[in-house]
Amino acid sequence: MSVAGIFLIGIIALIMAMPISLVMAMMSILPSAFDSSFTASATYVIRSMVGGLDSFPLLAVPMFVLSGIIMARGGISKRIFDIFSYFIGNKRAGMPCAIIITCLFYGAISGSAPATVAAIGSMGIPILLEMGYEKSFVTSLVAVSGGLGVIIPPSIPFIMFAVASGASVSDLFIAGLLPGIFIALLLMIYAYYHCCRYGEDKEKKERVVAELKARGLISVIKDGLFALLSPVIILGCIYTGIASPTEAAVISVFYALLISMLVYKSIKTKDIINILLETIKTFAPIMFILAASIGFSRVLTLLHVPQQTSEWILSSVHNPILLLIIINLFLLLVGMVMDTTPAILILAPIMLPIVSSIGMNPIHFGVIMVVNLAIGFVTPPMGVNLFVASSLTKVPVIKIAERAMPMIFYFLIALLLITYIPAISLVLL
């Protein structure tokens, strides 16, 4: 059976709303079903799926998911937000900027964009609405800023890219640090421009900030210090070589649990079972997608799809600048219609030979790929962040997407600069 036929059947199955894990598993066994001499039999595919999950780096994914859920339940995000609000809340656009910075820090805890939107949105949106900011603006700000959760390390998509490409997880984490901060700065510039153009309710803002100031600097820092140290400890263990990303993920789980139970006392022993169940419900679909993606990627390799695609593109496009523009446009399109995990696991092996042929560092390409797919979190029709934010405020998804467009434009500016200035990603390596 031809590769085009396999993908056509897969597209039809997706249109019929079949789960993507089942679609990829089905596409993996189609070649052997139509050609008994094909190397990858159904048994081989199943063994590849099971064997592919037996990976030490992959163990970091459920650990970071569990850590993020514990910290969300433990009120970590609120304490981080209070610290930044105390210092910049009374400035122009101070509170929107505090939301963006909190998303940046919480992303360094959870490694997930939807989790960042849910945790920061449920806490921060009511506060900004109380201060008189427009609901659609605040909702879109949180939805877009939540995309920082997959760029700033530790990032689950970076782990997936490492699995698909063989790149170092630690190097990918380091490479994502400056791009994440850079994008956050651009979003804060937009928030400042928005507040200058449309104004702020100074009276309401000063009243909310005054309540925070009344607690005193020492009290706010004391209450939020352990929360603020969470990403510092996690990333510090990785960057100093004390622990691998997987080991750091386990450390983050125990740190989050101890801080939430013993310091903040926001989680009780009886809550642990529900937290574990929520983690299983969150990670189980990812696990099935992972297994199916690994099997499918090996079948694609045996069908020589990466090599053929690379040869076709390179024979058609000879200008490296134009080639990178085409790759970015393709990844942006994929991000609109496909979830991050299968997109990375399927496309990374296909795209890597292409970018390697023009001398691009695989780590640099990993950052480009994740930034592209982060934009997909806030673009219809599959923008997960849009749906999570909409569920928090009941603002229609289309309205959120419309208000998010200027911020997505800033995201695209960052993407172009990251693509053509490798030092933004690689200078810390």
Side-chain angles (χ1 to χ4, degrees), residues 62-316:
M63 292 296 103
F64 279 128
V65 171
L66 176 57
S67 173
I69 292 174
I70 293 173
M71 292 186 180
R73 291 285 191 91
I76 301 290
S77 56
K78 178 64 169 66
R79 290 173 170 86
I80 295 175
F81 178 71
D82 283 347
I83 291 178
F84 296 122
S85 300
Y86 185 93
F87 288 104
I88 65 173
N90 57 353
K91 309 294 184 183
R92 185 181 293 275
M95 296 303 277
C97 288
I99 284 285
I100 295 169
I101 299 172
T102 305
C103 285
L104 188 73
F105 268 75
Y106 192 81
I109 296 171
S110 70
S112 166
T116 302
V117 174
I120 306 304
S122 59
M123 171 275 304
I125 290 176
I127 295 175
L128 265 67
L129 293 181
E130 183 184 344
M131 299 173 75
Y133 292 98
E134 186 186 358
K135 182 184 286 188
S136 59
F137 163 69
V138 174
T139 307
S140 62
L141 179 70
V142 172
V144 176
S145 301
L148 297 170
V150 298
I151 301 171
I152 200 76
S155 160
I156 292 173
F158 277 145
I159 298 172
M160 299 303 175
F161 182 84
V163 170
S165 66
S168 164
V169 177
S170 297
D171 286 349
L172 285 164
F173 281 1
I174 294 171
L177 187 60
L178 286 184
I181 295 172
F182 178 53
I183 294 170
L185 288 173
L186 289 180
L187 292 177
M188 284 189 276
I189 290 172
Y190 171 75
Y192 184 85
Y193 161 76
H194 180 277
C195 292
C196 287
R197 181 176 179 181
Y198 296 102
E200 298 175 281
D201 191 323
K202 293 183 179 180
E203 185 177 332
K204 289 182 178 179
K205 184 173 74 170
E206 289 174 359
R207 184 172 65 248
V208 173
V209 174
E211 293 175 3
L212 188 61
K213 294 278 188 180
R215 290 170 51 189
L217 176 61
I218 301 299
S219 174
V220 171
I221 292 180
K222 182 180 177 181
D223 193 35
L225 182 61
F226 287 105
L228 205 60
L229 284 176
S230 302
V232 176
I233 291 173
I234 296 168
L235 299 180
C237 288
I238 296 172
Y239 296 160
T240 58
I242 295 174
S244 69
T246 302
E247 292 164 344
V250 177
I251 292 171
S252 73
V253 170
F254 282 97
Y255 180 83
L257 199 58
L258 290 173
I259 294 305
S260 298
M261 293 185 69
L262 301 181
V263 178
Y264 297 138
K265 298 181 181 179
S266 50
I267 291 179
K268 308 297 181 185
T269 306
K270 63 180 180 180
D271 299 326
I272 295 177
I273 295 297
N274 289 330
I275 290 173
L276 292 175
L277 288 174
E278 186 177 348
T279 303
I280 292 170
K281 290 177 182 178
T282 302
F283 178 67
I286 299 176
M287 183 181 68
F288 282 109
I289 293 173
L290 268 171
S293 299
I294 290 168
F296 186 49
S297 64
R298 292 185 182 178
V299 170
L300 288 178
T301 302
L302 292 171
L303 289 170
H304 304 291
V305 172
Q307 298 91 327
Q308 292 174 5
T309 305
S310 176
E311 290 171 4
W312 178 77
I313 292 177
L314 290 174
S315 64
S316 304

